[in-house]
Amino acid sequence: MQPTRRTAIVATTTTALSALVATNPARAEGSSAATGTHWVNTWTAMPQLTEPANLPPAPFTGTASVLVDTTLRQTLRVTTGGRRLRLRFSNAYGDTPLPLTAVTLALPQGGAAGASAIVPGSGRPVTFAGRRSATVPIGAQLVSDPLDLDLRPASVITVTTYLATGQPSLALTSHPGSRITSYLRTGDHTEDQDLLPGATPVDHWYLLSDVEVLAPRATTAVAILGDSLTDGRGSTTNANDRWPDQLYDRLRAHPATASVAILNQAAGGNRVLNDGLGPNVLARLDRDVLSRSGVTRLIVFEGVNDIGTADATPAAQHQVTEDLLAAYGQIVVRAHAQGIRVFGATLLPFGGNAYDDPAGERESSRRAVNSWIRGAGRFDAVLDFDRAVRDPADPRRLLPDLQVGDWLHLNPAGYGVLAATVPAGLLR
């Protein structure tokens, strides 16, 4: 039987498509089943709209623009390593395009977080589609070209960015709660070994949102949704001793968990149900978790700000409790649809804090939420942070030696207790 004209056209088209796929150079940039590698997020900073008090100090913020003719040097500690890396810049909250004039990547002097200087000879240009300069559109993010670098686990890297014209708006995307010192200096100093003297230190991250590494297929990531307790209020500036940092240090010490990346997607003041500092969890779940590369597990440790900002009346607290439980269920459903396991962490006590009302309405809500987390069976596993750090003599309060004085936030020792509470077996 002779092939029909239609059969011949289909065969020809299929052959042409196969040739296109086989010769597509983009395959070399990303995941490859043949080489057994894929892209995995290894560091994150939840993007937020910068509040006026957290904008860069004068002269780096003007009346209608920010970071004009400014070099910004930032350090950040990755978790798992890899053979190639790429950066993500975010203009999520910008209402104007964000022009990046030049970006360099280097290793910090002494390998230290918060260092103003880089190791001589370690700097290299970062490109975007082969170009040194790039513009991040309004509301978008921009991924750099991959850079070849043998990046070891827990390495600190330095990213230096120069903006010639700055952003022509004060709607700047940042992560104010960096707990890491960055540096601002007028002029293009992307190639300078040291920005000091002459630079202005600020304890914020701006513009950067992610680092990804090309890693073996066995490498996976754990995302953490949280508020200031996960963002690290009470931790040590430039010491990377938040509880996710200490958890990662624990994991990388053992071969079975050494290839697990930890992604801290938290922000001070954040809430599950309503916008606060940053968008609510239900609104940011897709952006901060479901779209992150390599995420297979999620820890949810958030809700205390929802309880603490709701009126201390029986009706208001009943409503916020019911809404929180429904929201947790939504998070689980949406994560499970992407094959992500979800672990729920119980909420810490706040007796003695401003959230603590005389009638104990908010404490009753906290206990009801924790009882549901422990017993409802909706989460794939439960992390009982409450039991780990509460005072056995007064369960409404934190252990005195583990908190910073406000009876809500922990000190580095307290964060170490949270880190030790997470069973390593859950993250293998």
Side-chain angles (χ1 to χ4, degrees):
M1 179 177 179
Q2 294 294 320
T4 65
R5 182 171 181 273
R6 180 179 179 182
T7 302
I9 291 173
V10 170
T12 302
T13 302
T14 302
T15 301
L17 288 173
S18 298
L20 284 173
V21 172
T23 59
N24 186 353
R27 290 291 297 167
E29 297 288 339
S31 304
S32 170
T35 60
T37 58
H38 67 155
W39 288 104
V40 178
N41 267 77
T42 184
W43 174 86
T44 56
M46 180 192 131
Q48 299 172 240
L49 176 63
T50 310
E51 298 176 290
N54 292 322
L55 284 167
F60 305 103
T61 295
T63 57
S65 59
V66 64
L67 299 177
V68 176
D69 189 27
T70 298
T71 294
L72 167 64
R73 177 162 288 178
Q74 306 179 94
T75 58
L76 47 98
R77 189 180 85 145
V78 304
T79 51
T80 191
R83 297 173 298 182
R84 308 183 86 191
L85 69 82
R86 59 191 185 191
L87 309 176
R88 289 179 183 255
F89 287 83
S90 177
N91 194 23
Y93 297 97
D95 53 14
T96 61
L98 171 64
L100 308 174
T101 307
V103 181
T104 61
L105 176 73
L107 300 177
Q109 191 74 52
S116 63
I118 61 174
V119 174
S122 69
R124 58 188 69 187
V126 176
T127 60
F128 304 86
R131 299 171 295 178
R132 289 294 307 273
S133 298
T135 298
V136 189
I138 296 171
Q141 62 176 307
L142 195 65
V143 184
S144 77
D145 298 332
L147 288 91
D148 291 322
L149 180 67
D150 187 10
L151 189 64
R152 295 183 178 183
S155 297
V156 178
I157 59 175
T158 300
V159 179
T160 307
T161 307
Y162 175 61
L163 300 89
T165 60
Q167 185 156 19
S169 163
L170 299 185
L172 183 67
T173 301
S174 71
H175 188 86
S178 65
R179 274 84 197 181
I180 302 292
T181 304
S182 303
Y183 298 89
L184 299 164
R185 189 169 177 181
T186 301
D188 184 355
H189 297 276
T190 51
E191 305 292 339
D192 289 12
Q193 181 185 343
D194 199 341
L195 293 196
L196 292 176
T200 300
V202 290
D203 290 340
H204 306 304
W205 281 315
Y206 298 108
L207 314 182
L208 276 170
S209 64
D210 299 270
V211 178
E212 295 174 290
V213 292
L214 192 61
R217 282 280 172 186
T219 303
T220 57
V222 178
I224 304 171
L225 288 172
D227 47 39
S228 55
L229 285 159
T230 300
D231 204 28
R233 183 170 176 179
S235 63
T236 311
T237 300
N238 295 324
N240 287 305
D241 55 14
R242 314 164 190 83
W243 77 261
D245 299 314
Q246 297 192 56
L247 172 61
Y248 176 69
D249 288 335
R250 213 179 108 227
L251 296 177
R252 71 187 179 94
H254 301 283
T257 51
S259 61
V260 176
I262 298 294
L263 307 181
N264 188 338
Q265 293 286 33
N270 198 240
R271 289 184 282 179
V272 175
L273 302 169
N274 298 300
D275 291 354
L277 293 181
N280 67 79
V281 165
L282 294 180
R284 68 185 180 93
L285 182 66
D286 291 271
R287 181 195 72 182
D288 292 345
V289 177
L290 305 186
S291 67
R292 297 302 86 189
S293 307
V295 172
T296 60
R297 285 142 296 179
L298 167 64
I299 296 173
V300 180
F301 178 38
E302 193 159 358
V304 69
N305 290 325
D306 296 83
I307 293 171
T309 57
D311 290 340
T313 63
Q317 287 301 309
H318 174 77
Q319 186 66 56
V320 75
T321 298
E322 292 298 309
D323 290 348
L324 271 176
L325 304 188
Y328 291 146
Q330 282 289 302
I331 293 168
V332 171
V333 166
R334 289 164 62 185
H336 280 178
Q338 301 298 319
I340 297 171
R341 299 179 67 205
V342 188
F343 310 141
T346 53
L347 306 182
L348 306 191
F350 45 76
N353 182 264
Y355 282 170
D356 187 18
D357 63 286
E361 296 293 344
R362 294 190 178 112
E363 170 64 11
S364 295
S365 294
R366 186 187 73 87
R367 292 191 181 193
V369 168
N370 283 351
S371 178
W372 185 91
I373 290 173
R374 293 185 182 108
R378 295 300 302 275
F379 289 108
D380 296 295
V382 173
L383 309 176
D384 207 338
F385 286 174
D386 167 43
R387 185 168 286 125
V389 297
R390 73 190 183 197
D391 187 345
D394 186 358
R396 298 175 65 256
R397 289 177 174 256
L398 296 165
L399 282 164
D401 291 345
L402 299 183
Q403 56 93 33
V404 294
D406 66 359
W407 296 98
L408 177 64
H409 298 97
L410 302 178
N411 57 30
Y415 288 132
V417 172
L418 295 190
T421 302
V422 182
L426 286 177
L427 307 183
R428 288 175 185 166

